Amino acid sequence: MAARAVSLLCASQRNMSALAPARTSVASAAALPMATGAPPPAPSTLRLAPTAAATAAAGGCRGLAGVVVHRPSPTNTAETPFDFSDENYAKIDTILARYPSNYRASGVIPLLDLAQRQAGGWLPLSAMNKVAKILGMAPVKVYEVATFYTMFAREPLGKYHIQVCGTTPCMLRGARDIVAAATDEAGCTLGGTSKDNLFHVSEVECLGACVNAPMAQISSTTADPYVEDLTPDSMREVIRTLRAGKDIRVGPQTERRGCAGPQGKTSLLADVSGPYCRDLKAEG
């Protein structure tokens, strides 16, 4: 019965309200067990997030790159110290200058990305709270963003996060074989991390490089390059190159240039200008 209740909780709270501070009322929290026919728990037994054991009993309930709900751990609580470095505070000033002063919240994604890179490739709860404080946002609004995008990981991953696109064009071009090759060469399961903590492999939705399918994005604390036109053999070679500490070949893993067809480039022959960013301070 407890496993069933946890399963229902996972199914109904995949949005970020599950990550909010524990303000759930006794009445609303007690409504879930009532749906299963069990008596409501005493207030002292209510918890915001299921334990790891309960989640396992319920059959998982994990997101693409992390757990659905926040589980406090000794290294990941609201009290865990986190602050941006001086270098990153300078970057924050540059980022926020792109937006009107009354739309600072528009910088939430780049600031979360900056926090994740500083934290070693994942987003602690205290880092999300720091971003909320800087932008003047309610913390739950930041949690909603961090759990919507698979680029953000809320638990530690491997040094390299291999994200294989599994949407239709890539699937038709053999994405399943790429996933199999990646997990086998990395030495982990899909959604898991290798024993040497070098690799974490996950399947994600469209990454926008359909013309170069199948493809994957490999994220680390310094870069997020695409590897494209993959085959199982070339996917294995990419992972072997990373394991050896060498630079990988970015883009097509064939002789193809960019996304050009067999006839080469036939349009947009001149250099493309941009991007252009308005000078908001000059405009008042």
Side-chain angles (χ1 to χ4, degrees):
M1 188 63 70
R4 174 60 176 164
V6 171
S7 179
L8 289 173
L9 178 63
C10 291
S12 64
Q13 293 189 349
R14 290 185 183 276
N15 59 15
M16 230 22 314
S17 61
L19 255 182
R23 294 192 292 245
T24 306
S25 68
V26 172
S28 60
L32 178 63
M34 291 297 288
T36 66
S44 60
T45 65
L46 294 177
R47 63 174 68 241
L48 181 62
T51 63
T55 300
C61 186
R62 297 177 61 85
L64 288 171
V67 294
V68 175
V69 294
H70 172 70
R71 298 193 191 97
S73 67
T75 58
N76 188 15
T77 69
E79 291 73 34
T80 302
F82 177 88
D83 199 2
F84 286 104
S85 64
D86 291 341
E87 179 183 359
N88 281 340
Y89 268 119
K91 292 180 180 180
I92 289 172
D93 290 339
T94 300
I95 291 169
L96 295 184
R98 303 170 186 166
Y99 309 105
S101 58
N102 58 328
Y103 285 98
R104 291 171 63 87
S106 299
V108 63
I109 290 180
L111 262 64
L112 284 175
D113 180 67
L114 201 61
Q116 178 165 278
R117 294 182 192 279
Q118 180 176 312
W122 67 292
L123 269 177
L125 181 61
S126 55
M128 291 186 275
N129 290 341
K130 174 62 72 172
V131 170
K133 184 176 181 180
I134 291 173
L135 298 179
M137 298 174 63
V140 69
K141 294 296 185 182
V142 176
Y143 306 156
E144 289 170 351
V145 174
T147 53
F148 182 82
Y149 294 101
T150 56
M151 64 185 281
F152 297 123
R154 298 180 317 286
E155 55 183 5
L157 305 179
K159 180 178 180 180
Y160 300 106
H161 185 190
I162 302 172
Q163 302 156 85
V164 182
C165 176
T167 316
T168 306
C170 284
M171 183 180 293
L172 292 175
R173 295 279 295 165
R176 289 290 179 267
D177 295 333
I178 304 305
V179 169
T183 53
D184 182 62
E185 187 65 36
C188 64
T189 59
L190 183 62
T193 301
S194 60
K195 292 182 179 180
D196 56 10
N197 287 320
L198 274 180
F199 302 105
H200 181 95
V201 181
S202 61
E203 181 180 327
V204 298
E205 297 303 314
C206 184
L207 290 170
C210 308
V211 72
N212 292 87
M215 56 81 60
Q217 181 179 28
I218 302 178
S219 296
S220 66
T221 58
T222 57
D224 306 274
Y226 279 14
V227 286
E228 305 162 335
D229 295 313
L230 290 168
T231 64
D233 287 342
S234 62
M235 183 75 259
R236 291 177 181 275
E237 181 59 30
V238 167
I239 294 175
R240 286 194 289 263
T241 301
L242 291 171
R243 183 177 282 118
K246 300 178 180 179
D247 293 333
I248 62 172
R249 178 181 178 182
V250 177
Q253 302 301 297
T254 63
E255 297 305 315
R256 184 182 190 181
R257 183 178 178 182
C259 58
Q263 294 181 325
K265 198 171 184 179
T266 59
S267 61
L268 298 176
L269 301 179
D271 292 335
V272 179
S273 61
Y276 170 72
C277 185
R278 294 165 51 195
D279 188 348
L280 297 174
K281 292 183 178 179
E283 296 177 11

